[in-house]
């Protein structure tokens, strides 16, 4: 009997997950909650929110789902993996306790310090006065991180004391989101990159390296976004850097989480920086990165159902995941105005000769037409003999997406050369 899989989530990352699972010959039917207009071509979309754990559980039971694969951290933070496992259902994703590696910056820092995972030095504060005094006595820029799922506060790199005070006031004195804590850490410099792996508790299976582009416009200018493009491989990361990070960051953190009684069973995402003093961790995520997943999972040659199943069960896949090794690059098409306010509902048409892979992020079907329905709308993904060729193909493809309310960066992958 073919397998039935439920994928939880709805953005471009989930489209890439669904796409990878759909290539498995064992899989008969895929459901995606809530899914999106692009995912609907491969899966049956189910109108349940990714944090509706009870609703998702009832659905998985009623459909006899063989395996559930979780996209976003919000579902893991809501305890979906704990609840599914307690009900005897197989799920790819970490327990709520293990997900703290992402959901609490301070927890992540404590683990790194205790187990010697390289990262910036830090100190945590609850008092505004103490935090200001600490920052004032140190060199700028100061890195201020709100502890907890950020509610839009996140990370502030303050260039001077006034900026730092403003941010600390927002993080520590404004209690609209509940009383916060702040982690203040050393400022690191160097190119950032994403190193994701599958973890079944003890064993770590690395994925190809990728790099995200956070700023809205070419030249890494403009406001921060959810990510405007990604590519792989990364020529500026040496095999030695990669081996170092695999051993000292990913494997060490997986071991640490086992030792702490919070084994990881899903994806560990290392947001890393290559500094003059070596590779260091900027942040961990407990899930696939977005938009990195859209350029990583297309390279998976192994059966995705086998891999996700083994990880969910805490066992070794029959063979380690195999990757094609191709160069790949994806460009996000975003609504004009994003990450600020933008209009929805603009029609999207694929022009003559369009031949790229497309992952939908924020699209909808309206009267049979594909329209924009989010800030980031879709990602076009192309391979090539190198990153430069993949970029040329992706840019040409992005230009063939006809819509009068979209923009995109043209310089994704600039660190791999022009
Ligand atoms: P995070 O949410 O922790 O990933 O931080 C968001 C962004 O802030 C990162 O992608 C970095 O660009 C920057 N950042 C975070 N921590 C540091 C640090 N210690 N030094 C320099 N930049 C940082
Ligand atoms: N690309 C960054 C993230 O997924 O958080």
């Amino acid at each position: 009997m073919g397998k039935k899989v439920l994928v939880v989530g709805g953005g471009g990352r989930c489209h890439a997950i669904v796409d990878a699972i759909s290539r498995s010959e064992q899989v008969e039917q895929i459901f995606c909650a809530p899914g999106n207009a692009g995912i609907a071509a491969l899966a049956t979309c189910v109108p349940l929110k990714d944090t509706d754990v009870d609703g998702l559980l009832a659905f998985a039971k009623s459909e006899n789902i063989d395996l559930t694969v979780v996209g976003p951290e919000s579902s893991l933070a809501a305890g979906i993996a704990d609840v599914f496992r307690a009900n005897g259902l197989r799920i790819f994703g970490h327990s709520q306790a293990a997900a703290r590696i992402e959901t609490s910056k301070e927890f992540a820092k404590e683990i790194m310090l205790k187990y010697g995972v390289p990262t910036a030095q830090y100190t945590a504060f609850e008092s505004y006065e103490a935090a200001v005094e600490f920052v004032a006595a140190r060199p700028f820029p100061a890195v201020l991180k709100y502890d907890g799922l950020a509610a839009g506060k996140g990370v502030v790199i303050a260039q001077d004391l006034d900026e730092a005070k403003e941010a600390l006031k927002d993080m520590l004195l404004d209690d609209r989101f509940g009383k916060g804590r702040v982690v203040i850490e050393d400022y690191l410099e160097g190119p950032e990159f994403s190193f994701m792996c599958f973890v079944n508790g003890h064993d770590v299976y690395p994925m190809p390296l990728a790099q995200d582009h956070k700023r809205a416009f070419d030249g890494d200018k403009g406001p921060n976004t959810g990510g405007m493009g990604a590519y792989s491989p990364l020529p500026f990361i040496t095999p030695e850097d990669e081996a170092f990070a695999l051993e000292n960051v990913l494997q060490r953190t997986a071991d640490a989480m086992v030792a702490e009684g919070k084994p990881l069973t899903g994806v560990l995402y290392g947001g890393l920086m290559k500094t003059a003093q070596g590779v260091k961790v900027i942040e961990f995520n407990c899930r696939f990165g977005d938009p990195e997943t859209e350029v990583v999972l297309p390279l998976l040659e192994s059966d995705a159902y086998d891999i996700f199943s083994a990880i969910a069960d805490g066992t070794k896949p029959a063979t380690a995941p195999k990757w094609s090794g191709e160069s790949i690059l994806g460009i996000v098409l975003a609504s004009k105005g994003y990450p600020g306010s933008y209009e929805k509902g603009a029609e999207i048409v694929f022009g003559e000769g369009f031949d790229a892979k497309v992952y939908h992020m924020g699209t909808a079907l309206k009267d049979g037409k594909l329209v924009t329905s989010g800030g980031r709308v879709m990602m076009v993904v192309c391979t090539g003999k190198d990153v430069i060729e993949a970029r040329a193909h992706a840019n040409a493809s992005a230009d063939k997406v006809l819509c009068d309310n979209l923009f995109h960066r043209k310089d994704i992958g600039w660190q791999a050369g022009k």
Side-chain angles (χ1 to χ4, degrees):
M1 261 270 283
K3 305 292 184 196
K4 283 176 143 183
V5 180
L6 169 63
V7 177
V8 178
R13 167 181 57 199
C14 280
H15 195 174
I17 294 171
V18 168
D19 185 32
I21 294 171
S22 74
R23 298 197 297 270
S24 166
E25 288 184 358
Q26 302 171 64
V27 173
E28 180 180 294
Q29 196 173 12
I30 308 175
F31 297 93
C32 189
N36 66 33
I39 292 172
L42 299 170
T44 306
C45 295
V46 186
L48 289 171
K49 282 207 336 210
D50 56 30
T51 49
D52 179 4
V53 174
D54 293 340
L56 291 164
L57 176 69
F59 178 81
K61 281 184 167 170
S62 72
E63 285 291 339
N64 288 319
I65 295 293
D66 293 287
L67 178 70
T68 298
V69 177
V70 182
E73 69 281 9
S74 49
S75 313
L76 300 171
I80 191 170
D82 308 79
V83 170
F84 271 51
R85 291 196 182 107
N87 281 273
L89 297 186
R90 299 167 66 234
I91 186 162
F92 174 93
H94 313 292
S95 67
Q96 197 175 42
R100 291 186 71 215
I101 198 76
E102 168 166 0
T103 59
S104 166
K105 301 256 183 217
E106 198 181 352
F107 173 78
K109 280 289 186 185
E110 280 168 6
I111 293 286
M112 287 189 263
L113 191 69
K114 184 167 168 191
Y115 293 89
V117 176
T119 189
Q121 295 291 320
Y122 80 103
T123 316
F125 292 91
E126 273 171 19
S127 145
Y128 171 78
E129 287 74 23
V132 169
E133 195 183 323
F134 180 81
V135 168
R138 284 163 40 104
F140 283 91
V143 181
L144 314 173
K145 299 189 174 182
Y146 185 74
D147 188 34
L149 277 182
K153 296 183 182 184
V155 176
V156 172
I157 313 273
Q159 300 299 336
D160 57 38
L161 189 58
D162 284 343
E163 263 182 55
K165 280 184 174 166
E166 185 72 31
L168 288 169
K169 202 164 116 222
D170 181 36
M171 292 174 177
L172 290 171
L173 297 182
D174 169 7
D175 49 14
R176 262 180 306 161
F177 303 96
K179 265 262 177 273
R181 282 170 70 78
V182 167
V183 170
I184 301 181
E185 63 178 51
D186 287 348
Y187 179 74
L188 302 177
E189 270 176 296
E192 290 182 57
F193 62 104
S194 308
F195 196 176
M196 299 189 280
C197 62
F198 296 106
V199 193
N200 66 0
H202 293 273
D203 304 305
V204 163
Y205 300 94
M207 301 187 211
L209 300 176
Q211 191 185 41
D212 186 6
H213 295 60
K214 285 281 178 205
R215 301 299 192 110
F217 309 128
D218 281 12
D220 287 338
K221 302 248 164 51
N224 263 319
T225 69
M228 297 299 292
Y231 68 102
S232 182
L234 310 180
F236 57 90
I237 301 298
T238 64
E240 291 75 27
D241 294 330
E242 191 170 347
F244 174 88
L246 180 58
E247 180 186 340
N248 297 287
V249 175
L250 300 179
Q251 184 66 59
R252 188 167 296 173
T253 302
D255 293 344
M257 294 297 279
V258 170
E260 294 288 317
K262 301 177 177 67
L264 295 166
T265 46
V267 172
L268 176 63
Y269 166 117
L272 310 181
M273 189 183 272
K274 180 174 168 153
T275 75
Q277 290 76 39
V279 172
K280 298 199 179 186
V281 177
I282 294 290
E283 65 161 349
F284 280 125
N285 291 324
C286 61
R287 49 161 176 87
F288 281 110
D290 195 357
E292 292 92 328
T293 303
E294 291 92 314
V295 297
V296 167
L297 283 185
L299 306 178
L300 181 64
E301 288 181 334
S302 311
D303 183 312
Y305 183 83
D306 280 344
I307 310 282
F308 290 139
S309 291
I311 298 298
D313 295 341
T315 57
K316 292 180 197 288
T319 51
K322 281 205 194 68
W323 304 95
S324 76
E326 282 168 295
S327 294
I328 186 165
L329 188 141
I331 298 176
V332 171
L333 308 185
S335 295
K336 286 180 185 164
Y338 172 79
S341 61
Y342 53 83
E343 285 179 12
K344 299 181 184 180
E347 187 179 353
I348 307 163
V349 173
F350 294 98
E352 246 339 84
F354 180 88
D355 64 351
K357 196 181 253 307
V358 176
Y359 291 126
H360 291 233
M361 300 173 126
T363 63
L365 281 172
K366 197 171 158 206
D367 306 327
K369 290 178 178 158
L370 188 66
V371 297
T372 61
S373 73
R376 291 187 301 164
V377 172
M378 60 174 62
M379 187 153 169
V380 295
V381 177
C382 295
T383 54
K385 72 173 175 1
D386 53 25
V387 170
I388 294 166
E389 189 181 278
R391 174 172 53 221
H393 187 184
N395 271 326
S397 302
D399 289 338
K400 286 184 184 145
V401 179
L402 310 175
C403 176
D404 56 18
N405 200 38
L406 290 179
F407 77 99
H408 66 88
R409 281 181 63 161
K410 299 192 168 44
D411 68 341
I412 299 302
W414 62 267
Q415 288 182 67
K418 288 229 158 117

